[in-house]
Amino acid sequence: QQQVKQSPQSLIVQKGGISIINCAYENTAFDYFPWYQQFPGKGPALLIAIRPDVSEKKEGRFTISFNKSAKQFSLHIMDSQPGDSATYFCAASRVSGGYQKVTFGIGTKLQVIP
Amino acid sequence: ETGVTQSPTHLIKTRGQQVTLRCSSQSGHNTVSWYQQALGQGPQFIFQYYREEENGRGNFPPRFSGLQFPNYSSELNVNALELDDSALYLCASSFTGRPRQFFGPGTRLTVL
C-alpha cells in the first residue's frame, strides 16, 4: 500500500524556472513531512521539512506548501539551477509503537537544463 | 561533528550467501534506522534500533536482522540472499523522539 504518492516521476525545467513536485498522503497520523534531495551514489539529504500545523515554510529557494484538509503537500524550487538536478523524495513520518516510522514517496528525478 | 558512515561502499554476493553491512551513527545520535532502496524507488523502512534493541520493523522477513552496539553503531545482516535483495542499503541516525534523520551514503549490494 503506497501511503505517500508522489508526482511527477520525472521533471525537466529550464534554468531559472520553477520546479514543482507534489505529494499526497493517506494517514492523518503523520506529523512530520520532510523533503530529501539525493544525488547519484549518495544518501538522501534533508532539504526542508514541515509540521502539519503550518501551511507554508520557506528556506532560501525552497518552499513547502502544505494543505492539511486535502492531505497534500508540495515542494517548489524557485530559480532552478543545473546544480539542483537530482532526485527528490517527499516523506511522511509518525511515531508508531514507540519508533519513528518514515514512509517515502517514489521520487522525482529533476533535470534542470541551461 | 562526524556524519553517518557506512561500509563497505559496494558488495557483490551470490544467491544464498549471507552479508553484513555496517553503520556508524552521527556523533551523539542514539537511534539507527535501516532502509532498502531499490533502483528507481524510494527508501523502504527495514527496522529501527534504540538502546541496542529493535523497536520497530517494516515489511521485511526475519532473514533481515540487525544489531546495535553500546557506541550506537549498527549492523544489518541478511541471510539466504535473493536476487531481489540487490539494492542500496541506507542507514540513518537520529536522536530518539526527534523526527529528523541523517542518512549515510549507503552500501550498494548486488546479488548474482
Side-chain angles (χ1 to χ4, degrees):
Chain A
Q1 182 186 10
Q2 187 182 359
Q3 294 191 39
V4 179
K5 296 182 180 180
Q6 183 173 349
S7 63
Q9 291 191 32
S10 64
L11 183 61
I12 300 175
V13 173
Q14 283 211 307
K15 179 182 174 182
I18 302 174
S19 303
I20 302 174
I21 304 170
N22 300 299
C23 284
Y25 63 98
E26 297 166 7
N27 192 336
T28 56
F30 289 132
D31 60 5
Y32 180 75
F33 299 87
W35 284 90
Y36 287 89
Q37 179 188 58
Q38 186 176 30
F39 292 104
K42 303 290 186 183
L46 180 67
L47 201 57
I48 186 172
I50 199 168
R51 294 278 192 182
D53 54 347
V54 177
S55 61
E56 184 175 282
K57 184 174 181 180
K58 183 176 180 179
E59 290 185 2
R61 295 185 293 111
F62 302 93
T63 300
I64 299 178
S65 297
F66 191 88
N67 186 330
K68 187 174 181 178
S69 61
K71 293 187 285 185
Q72 296 175 347
F73 58 112
S74 61
L75 175 70
H76 294 230
I77 306 174
M78 312 300 287
D79 186 27
S80 298
Q81 299 296 314
D84 296 331
S85 297
T87 300
Y88 293 81
F89 294 95
C90 64
S93 171
R94 64 186 176 106
V95 175
S96 173
Y99 71 97
Q100 195 76 31
K101 182 173 182 179
V102 184
T103 303
F104 284 81
I106 196 169
T108 296
K109 187 171 183 179
L110 171 64
Q111 183 181 359
V112 181
I113 56 176
Chain B
E1 184 180 82
T2 307
V4 179
T5 60
Q6 293 186 241
S7 63
T9 306
H10 296 90
L11 204 51
I12 300 175
K13 291 286 188 178
T14 56
R15 196 169 44 181
Q17 286 189 311
Q18 178 265 342
V19 68
T20 297
L21 310 181
R22 294 178 175 81
C23 170
S24 291
S25 301
Q26 183 160 317
S27 178
H29 286 181
N30 56 10
T31 300
V32 175
S33 302
W34 285 91
Y35 294 84
Q36 179 194 67
Q37 186 178 18
L39 202 60
Q41 301 292 317
Q44 297 290 317
F45 175 73
I46 301 175
F47 44 54
Q48 184 176 93
Y49 275 80
Y50 170 63
R51 289 187 174 176
E52 302 175 47
E53 290 190 0
E54 181 185 302
N55 69 342
R57 173 178 280 263
N59 190 25
F60 281 80
R63 60 189 185 84
F64 286 79
S65 63
L67 287 171
Q68 186 184 31
F69 300 99
N71 67 352
Y72 306 131
S73 65
S74 178
E75 288 182 354
L76 165 65
N77 299 288
V78 187
N79 293 320
L81 284 167
E82 302 177 358
L83 297 179
D84 284 349
D85 295 334
S86 295
L88 180 68
Y89 288 85
L90 296 162
C91 165
S93 72
S94 59
F95 289 108
T96 188
R98 298 187 188 178
R100 182 171 181 176
Q101 297 186 335
F102 294 78
F103 282 83
T107 293
R108 173 70 63 185
L109 172 65
T110 302
V111 182
L112 302 176

